[in-house]
Amino acid sequence: MSAYPHATWRLLVWSAPADGATQMATDEAIWRAVGAGRAPATLRLYRWAPPCLSLGRNQPASEVDTEALEQSGYELVRRPSGGRAILHIDELTYAVALPLRDPRARGGVLGSCHRLSQGLLEALRLLGAEAAVQQNTVRPTTAPVCFEQPGAYEIVWEGRKLVGSAQVRGRGALLQHGALPLYGDIARICRFLTTPSSAERVRARAITLSEALGRAVSWEESAAAIAQGFARALDLSLLPGQLSDEEQRLAQALRERKYRAREWNWRI
């Protein structure tokens, strides 16, 4: 018997990549619409182009090596949620916007992270990553790299971080988004940070899905598994949908006025 009443969420699968400002503006537009009751609870799956370094809401921009970032043709954006820096490349990103009145959102940030992580764990099991588990302890960290240290209820594989997630609550809803690295060098991010962070240490503490499984895993395969995992673990029906006209207008405004603006991205 399910711990939750059955619910229907909107599923948005954005297989075409978009830039960082567009992705963060879209997440915020959905979060606001869901909180205002003008959109259903939503699971969105997406990817990035060009690659983008994202900072947590309160992370100092001084930790970014802007010259290295510009030379690589990569972008910078600040997330509305917390956490530490992530280089969005060769990954699948998920975002959940959920009304705070939903029982899956109960218990504050930690309680809801615990519940939503069940969907990620079920997805990883479907992909063959049965050894993935939740990290249940919290150790303070000043490391600039998100994947250098797992937080409470984030997903680890044999002690190495596999999924990084962050959440913000307000406006009557929560927004949780996170990154699942699929392949490539997990320590590439170190090239773009001014604060010393050992690439060897990051590789020892984090892992990609392909490395964990010992096989190549495509974005499409991962997206299908995450949708199925959330549906199974959280007792959901996921209905494919699209952004409303209101969400599209708000996302465009947020992209131009906030997520492309120096006043937001470099505010700390």
Side-chain angles (χ1 to χ4, degrees), residues 223-237:
I226 287 183
Q228 189 176 355
F230 269 83
R232 284 188 181 183
L234 300 178
D235 196 5
L236 304 173
S237 294

Side-chain angles (χ1 to χ4, degrees), residues 187-222:
R188 283 174 288 184
I189 188 174
C190 296
R191 295 169 45 205
F192 307 110
L193 299 171
T194 58
T195 303
S197 191
S198 164
E200 290 74 18
R201 186 169 64 246
V202 173
R203 293 186 188 105
R205 295 182 177 183
I207 193 169
T208 67
L209 182 59
S210 292
E211 183 183 356
L213 295 180
R215 65 177 181 88
V217 185
S218 69
W219 189 92
E220 290 77 11
E221 181 185 1
S222 301

